[in-house]
Amino acid sequence: MTALQHVKPHAHYTVQLPRSDDFAFWRERARALIQCDIPPDKIAWVEPGGTDDLFSSGGMRLPEPPADAPPVRASKRYLSLASNAALHRDPARFALLYRLLWRLQRNPRIMEDKADPDVGRVEELDKNVRRDSHKMHAFVRFRQVEAEDGEHYVAWFEPEHHILRANAGFFRRRFASMRWSILTPQGTLHWDGETMREGPPAQKTDAPHGDPVEDLWRTYYASIFNPARLKVGAMLSEMPRKYWKNLPEAALIPELIAGAQQRESEMVAAGERDDGVRPESLEAIGEAIEGCRKCPIGCLDNRAVMGEGPSDAALMIVGEQPGDREDQEGRPFVGPAGQLLDVHLERAGINRSAAYVTNAVKHFKFTMRGKRRLHQSPTAKEIDTCRWWIEGEREMVKPKLVLAMGASAARGMLGKTVSISKVRGQAIPLEDGSELWVTSHPSYLLRLDGEAREKQAALFDADLAAVRARLAELAEQ
């Protein structure tokens, strides 16, 4: 007799979830129940603190799948949406996900049906959770407290959904060198620089109300406020009023909005361009980009990667953006493309350690494919947004020659897109008297094979040789 024959045809089953955000547990149980052919209306999914369904048999042991049970079908799109939707606070979400998974076994293409109500609801839950995570990334504000063993930073946040643990990696990576705690009504996270701990729910009174750093932050916020770009409706959409109570800069917003029209008129009259105050050192730029969220890339689960090298380097090498390896180590060009670059630099006689190496975009833009993070090219708008930082680095280093590798790096330096094939091998004068040289990105070579790679590698070597010769000429001037 198979395990399936042990299943009572009219039985109801209860699955007790250990945590409200435990998608992995739900997925394991759901797979087993599908293989036992248990329909959605026979299962009650109960979160911690919940009660069993009136007709469920809470004491009945869940059946084991038969040995010859077919594998469970679950498309990548389903898993991507479901893993996020499972974090929603809707108590019916797990039943919805199981019902959709059950239907997927009969109709593998159901996720393509935009008119299907179950698909539409899962997409809505996913969107709500992603938005809540985005708000957490943007509006968590750490306040400094004095502890017996040194500085500690504490933040209070009130998520709408069960997103706390899912976003632990984002804050661990972004604030790796700080000792911090995030307190929420759902639970707490504590990072000591090496280990992440979880704690019980907290109350707002457990969090500090302010610290001296907030005066500096309010001054900075007021200085970067640009009235010419003010759109109150869009601002409230991105920064709803319910988050203002936890933001030190929020107290300034009504006054800044009220004076926006007058300030804009003054700016126009004076011909000003108000971009705020750029940090005055490379170290300060490195600290500032850690908190930059001016484009969607900065809100991903990544870390800012600052340039490195001598602060007075004659050569600045600019790439597109950090890759997966660079994001993990916090250093530019340490992955496969960086290793290939080192080979070609050495071949050309260029000492990398004497150059300042950085990227036009400071955060890693990626999309998830299972457990892998796959590179995505930044948009023109994202590159232009990050020019603020790359221009600051160039002002500090004052290189005689800038080597831009790839179209994104060239746009970051010029503010416009150029064709590499048309501008490579020639000097492009920059406004500060330095020269820009453009070549391909080493990652482009990694994507080629055979004769195509040999041809492009030869062009890359020729560009580096020309840069080496030009550096020698500039050194004699």
Tab-separated table of all heavy atoms in Angstrom, residues 160-192:
chain	number	residue	atom	x	y	z
A	160	GLU	N	5.564	47.224	7.297
A	160	GLU	CA	4.176	46.812	7.113
A	160	GLU	C	4.062	45.298	6.979
A	160	GLU	O	3.022	44.720	7.277
A	160	GLU	CB	3.592	47.478	5.858
A	160	GLU	CG	3.444	48.979	5.978
A	160	GLU	CD	2.750	49.577	4.768
A	160	GLU	OE1	2.338	48.802	3.882
A	160	GLU	OE2	2.617	50.802	4.715
A	161	HIS	N	5.148	44.658	6.510
A	161	HIS	CA	5.115	43.227	6.240
A	161	HIS	C	6.273	42.533	6.964
A	161	HIS	O	7.051	43.180	7.667
A	161	HIS	CB	5.149	42.982	4.729
A	161	HIS	CG	4.077	43.717	3.986
A	161	HIS	ND1	2.747	43.399	4.089
A	161	HIS	CD2	4.143	44.802	3.156
A	161	HIS	CE1	2.026	44.223	3.353
A	161	HIS	NE2	2.846	45.090	2.769
A	162	HIS	N	6.381	41.232	6.785
A	162	HIS	CA	7.388	40.446	7.511
A	162	HIS	C	8.728	40.468	6.760
A	162	HIS	O	9.228	39.447	6.301
A	162	HIS	CB	6.897	39.005	7.672
A	162	HIS	CG	5.572	38.888	8.364
A	162	HIS	ND1	5.408	39.089	9.715
A	162	HIS	CD2	4.330	38.603	7.876
A	162	HIS	CE1	4.127	38.928	10.039
A	162	HIS	NE2	3.453	38.634	8.943
A	163	ILE	N	9.335	41.661	6.672
A	163	ILE	CA	10.504	41.844	5.819
A	163	ILE	C	11.813	41.958	6.600
A	163	ILE	O	12.874	42.085	5.988
A	163	ILE	CB	10.345	43.103	4.946
A	163	ILE	CG1	10.268	44.351	5.835
A	163	ILE	CG2	9.124	42.987	4.048
A	163	ILE	CD1	10.367	45.644	5.062
A	164	LEU	N	11.760	41.928	7.921
A	164	LEU	CA	12.949	42.220	8.708
A	164	LEU	C	14.100	41.276	8.392
A	164	LEU	O	15.199	41.702	8.019
A	164	LEU	CB	12.617	42.165	10.204
A	164	LEU	CG	13.802	42.446	11.150
A	164	LEU	CD1	14.313	43.856	10.959
A	164	LEU	CD2	13.391	42.208	12.607
A	165	ARG	N	13.884	39.981	8.534
A	165	ARG	CA	14.973	39.022	8.308
A	165	ARG	C	15.415	39.001	6.857
A	165	ARG	O	16.600	38.814	6.560
A	165	ARG	CB	14.543	37.625	8.743
A	165	ARG	CG	14.360	37.477	10.247
A	165	ARG	CD	14.490	36.038	10.689
A	165	ARG	NE	13.597	35.145	9.962
A	165	ARG	CZ	13.756	33.834	9.861
A	165	ARG	NH1	14.820	33.264	10.392
A	165	ARG	NH2	12.875	33.083	9.221
A	166	ALA	N	14.473	39.199	5.937
A	166	ALA	CA	14.812	39.169	4.514
A	166	ALA	C	15.751	40.305	4.134
A	166	ALA	O	16.496	40.198	3.151
A	166	ALA	CB	13.538	39.246	3.675
A	167	ASN	N	15.758	41.394	4.899
A	167	ASN	CA	16.602	42.539	4.585
A	167	ASN	C	17.844	42.640	5.471
A	167	ASN	O	18.575	43.625	5.395
A	167	ASN	CB	15.779	43.831	4.691
A	167	ASN	CG	14.824	44.001	3.525
A	167	ASN	OD1	15.230	44.433	2.458
A	167	ASN	ND2	13.562	43.647	3.732
A	168	ALA	N	18.063	41.624	6.286
A	168	ALA	CA	19.235	41.649	7.163
A	168	ALA	C	20.527	41.747	6.354
A	168	ALA	O	21.461	42.482	6.720
A	168	ALA	CB	19.250	40.406	8.051
A	169	GLY	N	20.605	41.003	5.252
A	169	GLY	CA	21.817	41.019	4.437
A	169	GLY	C	22.121	42.384	3.868
A	169	GLY	O	23.287	42.784	3.778
A	170	PHE	N	21.095	43.126	3.471
A	170	PHE	CA	21.298	44.470	2.923
A	170	PHE	C	22.010	45.358	3.932
A	170	PHE	O	22.999	46.031	3.611
A	170	PHE	CB	19.950	45.074	2.539
A	170	PHE	CG	20.020	46.522	2.134
A	170	PHE	CD1	20.287	46.866	0.828
A	170	PHE	CD2	19.825	47.526	3.070
A	170	PHE	CE1	20.359	48.203	0.450
A	170	PHE	CE2	19.899	48.866	2.704
A	170	PHE	CZ	20.167	49.200	1.394
A	171	PHE	N	21.525	45.379	5.168
A	171	PHE	CA	22.118	46.261	6.177
A	171	PHE	C	23.467	45.735	6.663
A	171	PHE	O	24.358	46.523	6.978
A	171	PHE	CB	21.138	46.443	7.339
A	171	PHE	CG	19.942	47.266	6.973
A	171	PHE	CD1	18.754	46.658	6.596
A	171	PHE	CD2	20.015	48.642	6.948
A	171	PHE	CE1	17.650	47.412	6.222
A	171	PHE	CE2	18.913	49.413	6.575
A	171	PHE	CZ	17.732	48.791	6.212
A	172	ARG	N	23.631	44.416	6.705
A	172	ARG	CA	24.928	43.867	7.104
A	172	ARG	C	26.001	44.274	6.103
A	172	ARG	O	27.102	44.658	6.499
A	172	ARG	CB	24.843	42.342	7.180
A	172	ARG	CG	26.153	41.702	7.663
A	172	ARG	CD	26.101	40.184	7.584
A	172	ARG	NE	26.064	39.720	6.207
A	172	ARG	CZ	25.055	39.086	5.654
A	172	ARG	NH1	23.963	38.821	6.359
A	172	ARG	NH2	25.090	38.710	4.390
A	173	ARG	N	25.679	44.222	4.837
A	173	ARG	CA	26.654	44.563	3.811
A	173	ARG	C	26.890	46.062	3.746
A	173	ARG	O	28.013	46.520	3.584
A	173	ARG	CB	26.188	44.028	2.457
A	173	ARG	CG	26.109	42.508	2.410
A	173	ARG	CD	25.238	42.036	1.257
A	173	ARG	NE	25.838	42.340	-0.026
A	173	ARG	CZ	26.700	41.536	-0.658
A	173	ARG	NH1	27.060	40.394	-0.092
A	173	ARG	NH2	27.191	41.851	-1.821
A	174	ARG	N	25.838	46.841	3.856
A	174	ARG	CA	25.984	48.294	3.715
A	174	ARG	C	26.670	48.914	4.923
A	174	ARG	O	27.441	49.876	4.774
A	174	ARG	CB	24.609	48.926	3.506
A	174	ARG	CG	24.632	50.446	3.555
A	174	ARG	CD	23.528	51.043	2.736
A	174	ARG	NE	23.792	50.893	1.314
A	174	ARG	CZ	23.036	51.447	0.356
A	174	ARG	NH1	21.984	52.150	0.686
A	174	ARG	NH2	23.325	51.267	-0.918
A	175	PHE	N	26.410	48.403	6.094
A	175	PHE	CA	26.996	48.981	7.306
A	175	PHE	C	27.872	47.945	8.006
A	175	PHE	O	27.775	47.738	9.219
A	175	PHE	CB	25.887	49.481	8.236
A	175	PHE	CG	24.977	50.492	7.596
A	175	PHE	CD1	23.696	50.138	7.206
A	175	PHE	CD2	25.409	51.785	7.360
A	175	PHE	CE1	22.847	51.050	6.601
A	175	PHE	CE2	24.571	52.713	6.758
A	175	PHE	CZ	23.293	52.340	6.367
A	176	ALA	N	28.736	47.308	7.226
A	176	ALA	CA	29.544	46.204	7.745
A	176	ALA	C	30.492	46.637	8.838
A	176	ALA	O	30.797	45.869	9.757
A	176	ALA	CB	30.324	45.556	6.594
A	177	SER	N	30.992	47.865	8.781
A	177	SER	CA	32.000	48.305	9.757
A	177	SER	C	31.392	48.918	11.008
A	177	SER	O	32.118	49.245	11.949
A	177	SER	CB	32.938	49.325	9.091
A	177	SER	OG	32.216	50.471	8.652
A	178	MET	N	30.076	49.074	11.045
A	178	MET	CA	29.405	49.654	12.207
A	178	MET	C	28.867	48.554	13.119
A	178	MET	O	28.630	47.436	12.686
A	178	MET	CB	28.235	50.547	11.759
A	178	MET	CG	28.628	51.825	11.084
A	178	MET	SD	27.201	52.688	10.335
A	178	MET	CE	25.931	52.512	11.597
A	179	ARG	N	28.679	48.887	14.368
A	179	ARG	CA	27.960	48.026	15.304
A	179	ARG	C	26.566	48.638	15.445
A	179	ARG	O	26.437	49.773	15.893
A	179	ARG	CB	28.685	47.947	16.639
A	179	ARG	CG	30.048	47.291	16.523
A	179	ARG	CD	30.896	47.444	17.790
A	179	ARG	NE	30.266	46.874	18.961
A	179	ARG	CZ	29.758	47.594	19.960
A	179	ARG	NH1	29.804	48.920	19.921
A	179	ARG	NH2	29.208	47.002	20.995
A	180	TRP	N	25.531	47.882	15.057
A	180	TRP	CA	24.213	48.481	14.999
A	180	TRP	C	23.116	47.513	15.405
A	180	TRP	O	23.313	46.296	15.431
A	180	TRP	CB	23.923	49.034	13.605
A	180	TRP	CG	24.130	48.083	12.462
A	180	TRP	CD1	25.213	48.017	11.635
A	180	TRP	CD2	23.227	47.047	12.000
A	180	TRP	NE1	25.047	47.023	10.696
A	180	TRP	CE2	23.846	46.408	10.893
A	180	TRP	CE3	21.977	46.606	12.414
A	180	TRP	CZ2	23.246	45.360	10.197
A	180	TRP	CZ3	21.368	45.553	11.726
A	180	TRP	CH2	22.003	44.951	10.634
A	181	SER	N	21.957	48.097	15.688
A	181	SER	CA	20.738	47.335	15.984
A	181	SER	C	19.576	47.986	15.245
A	181	SER	O	19.501	49.211	15.161
A	181	SER	CB	20.432	47.321	17.483
A	181	SER	OG	21.451	46.668	18.213
A	182	ILE	N	18.700	47.168	14.700
A	182	ILE	CA	17.451	47.651	14.109
A	182	ILE	C	16.308	47.074	14.930
A	182	ILE	O	16.171	45.853	15.061
A	182	ILE	CB	17.325	47.227	12.638
A	182	ILE	CG1	18.449	47.842	11.800
A	182	ILE	CG2	15.973	47.670	12.078
A	182	ILE	CD1	18.417	47.431	10.345
A	183	LEU	N	15.509	47.953	15.497
A	183	LEU	CA	14.397	47.554	16.359
A	183	LEU	C	13.084	47.715	15.600
A	183	LEU	O	12.850	48.752	14.968
A	183	LEU	CB	14.368	48.418	17.622
A	183	LEU	CG	15.696	48.630	18.365
A	183	LEU	CD1	15.462	49.465	19.620
A	183	LEU	CD2	16.341	47.303	18.714
A	184	THR	N	12.219	46.716	15.665
A	184	THR	CA	10.900	46.780	15.035
A	184	THR	C	9.892	46.082	15.945
A	184	THR	O	10.275	45.300	16.830
A	184	THR	CB	10.875	46.093	13.653
A	184	THR	OG1	10.748	44.674	13.825
A	184	THR	CG2	12.130	46.401	12.854
A	185	PRO	N	8.602	46.325	15.737
A	185	PRO	CA	7.581	45.614	16.523
A	185	PRO	C	7.545	44.114	16.227
A	185	PRO	O	6.940	43.358	16.987
A	185	PRO	CB	6.267	46.282	16.081
A	185	PRO	CG	6.680	47.589	15.489
A	185	PRO	CD	7.999	47.352	14.860
A	186	GLN	N	8.181	43.674	15.122
A	186	GLN	CA	8.172	42.260	14.757
A	186	GLN	C	9.365	41.494	15.330
A	186	GLN	O	9.301	40.279	15.501
A	186	GLN	CB	8.187	42.129	13.226
A	186	GLN	CG	6.997	42.747	12.544
A	186	GLN	CD	7.124	42.698	11.026
A	186	GLN	OE1	8.093	42.168	10.486
A	186	GLN	NE2	6.155	43.258	10.330
A	187	GLY	N	10.440	42.182	15.590
A	187	GLY	CA	11.662	41.553	16.057
A	187	GLY	C	12.816	42.519	15.915
A	187	GLY	O	12.637	43.669	15.481
A	188	THR	N	14.017	42.094	16.263
A	188	THR	CA	15.175	42.970	16.219
A	188	THR	C	16.357	42.257	15.585
A	188	THR	O	16.464	41.026	15.616
A	188	THR	CB	15.567	43.440	17.635
A	188	THR	OG1	15.775	42.291	18.474
A	188	THR	CG2	14.475	44.296	18.239
A	189	LEU	N	17.247	43.060	15.001
A	189	LEU	CA	18.499	42.568	14.437
A	189	LEU	C	19.651	43.295	15.116
A	189	LEU	O	19.576	44.506	15.350
A	189	LEU	CB	18.555	42.821	12.931
A	189	LEU	CG	17.547	42.100	12.042
A	189	LEU	CD1	17.688	42.595	10.610
A	189	LEU	CD2	17.752	40.586	12.108
A	190	HIS	N	20.719	42.562	15.393
A	190	HIS	CA	21.883	43.141	16.065
A	190	HIS	C	23.153	42.664	15.357
A	190	HIS	O	23.378	41.453	15.222
A	190	HIS	CB	21.914	42.725	17.535
A	190	HIS	CG	20.636	43.000	18.270
A	190	HIS	ND1	20.336	44.230	18.820
A	190	HIS	CD2	19.549	42.203	18.511
A	190	HIS	CE1	19.147	44.179	19.390
A	190	HIS	NE2	18.640	42.960	19.211
A	191	TRP	N	23.979	43.609	14.925
A	191	TRP	CA	25.220	43.305	14.208
A	191	TRP	C	26.402	43.867	15.001
A	191	TRP	O	26.435	45.064	15.316
A	191	TRP	CB	25.172	43.914	12.809
A	191	TRP	CG	26.452	43.831	12.030
A	191	TRP	CD1	27.300	44.846	11.734
A	191	TRP	CD2	27.014	42.656	11.429
A	191	TRP	NE1	28.357	44.398	10.992
A	191	TRP	CE2	28.216	43.051	10.779
A	191	TRP	CE3	26.629	41.320	11.369
A	191	TRP	CZ2	29.020	42.154	10.091
A	191	TRP	CZ3	27.441	40.425	10.679
A	191	TRP	CH2	28.611	40.836	10.057
A	192	ASP	N	27.360	43.012	15.342
A	192	ASP	CA	28.519	43.449	16.118
A	192	ASP	C	29.785	43.577	15.277
A	192	ASP	O	30.884	43.695	15.804
A	192	ASP	CB	28.774	42.481	17.288
A	192	ASP	CG	29.123	41.073	16.824
A	192	ASP	OD1	29.308	40.859	15.603
A	192	ASP	OD2	29.215	40.174	17.689
